Amino acid sequence: MGFKEIILATVRGGDAPGITAALTEIIANAPGVRIIDIEQTVVHSKLLLSLLLGFRGKSADQGPVLKDLLFAAEKFGVDLSFSPFSPEDLHETEEGHPYVVTCLGAEVDAYPLSRIAHALAGKKVNIEKIGKLTRRSLSAVEMTVRSSKQIDHRQLSADLLGLSTELKVDIAIQPLNLTRR
């Protein structure tokens, strides 16, 4: 990729239209800067936006774009922080095998999530992302997970059947691919 430095920019605060547009426009207009990765979520009107930025030039070239990003964040009333990011932690392709775990029940809160997360960890399956699928309740939760080894998702579903019955939460596992939806 040829980046001399990589910085993780994290935005937190109240969500509003135009925040992502303004920040990405600043990056787009900055020479030698590229967005390597981006993730955004809004939880009850609170924004969390992460931008992994790669800089091709000297450290001094970072100053103007970082300053402009800070001024834009201030304008929107959100917090913006920067953290150095090690190139060793940057993966061109994710290793392992991705799956989606969908949990449906009257309430899929801390206790069922904890038990499901422990069961997945016991099988060496790592949770990468969690999000709810419903607007107002926590009755449907989806987890994106990854295993270093290919697993038989049908067998893992069968293994979790007892937990599903105990928690009164339906648990489905399927490979993560473009055809799953």
Side-chain angles (χ1 to χ4, degrees):
M1 289 200 172
F3 297 116
K4 295 202 180 206
E5 290 200 53
I6 301 172
I7 293 178
L8 178 63
T10 306
V11 180
R12 292 182 184 88
D15 189 30
I19 296 172
T20 303
L23 297 177
T24 54
E25 180 179 17
I26 290 166
I27 297 163
N29 291 325
V33 183
R34 182 172 159 238
I35 297 175
I36 300 170
D37 201 355
I38 186 169
E39 193 78 37
Q40 176 174 317
T41 191
V42 176
V43 179
H44 295 276
S45 304
K46 297 298 179 189
L47 170 70
L48 177 58
L49 170 63
S50 297
L51 299 152
L52 193 60
L53 305 176
F55 293 85
R56 289 196 164 89
K58 310 181 292 264
S59 291
D61 296 341
Q62 298 172 14
V65 69
L66 298 181
K67 176 186 66 91
D68 290 347
L69 289 169
L70 284 167
F71 279 123
E74 178 69 25
K75 176 183 158 199
F76 282 101
V78 295
D79 296 322
L80 174 61
S81 62
F82 301 107
S83 304
F85 192 89
S86 173
E88 290 82 38
D89 293 332
L90 191 62
H91 304 289
E92 282 291 329
T93 58
E94 294 292 333
E95 293 180 15
H97 304 275
Y99 300 90
V100 174
V101 178
T102 306
C103 308
L104 305 170
E107 189 171 12
V108 186
D109 64 357
Y111 183 71
L113 289 174
S114 168
R115 295 290 307 278
I116 294 164
H118 277 291
L120 292 170
K123 301 284 187 180
K124 305 284 190 235
V125 177
N126 185 52
I127 300 170
E128 294 184 339
K129 187 187 292 190
I130 300 175
K132 71 179 187 174
L133 299 174
T134 52
R135 271 309 241 183
R136 294 203 164 97
S137 69
L138 202 56
S139 60
V141 174
E142 181 176 84
M143 298 181 209
T144 304
V145 302
R146 188 171 298 275
S147 174
S148 60
K149 298 178 187 171
Q150 189 163 2
I151 59 174
D152 180 348
H153 64 279
R154 290 178 188 90
Q155 182 60 51
L156 184 54
S157 287
D159 293 347
L160 294 175
L161 184 59
L163 189 57
S164 179
T165 303
E166 174 193 332
L167 298 173
K168 296 182 175 71
V169 172
D170 290 330
I171 305 168
I173 301 168
Q174 58 185 321
L176 175 61
N177 57 41
L178 293 175
T179 61
R180 81 175 180 88
R181 289 198 184 209

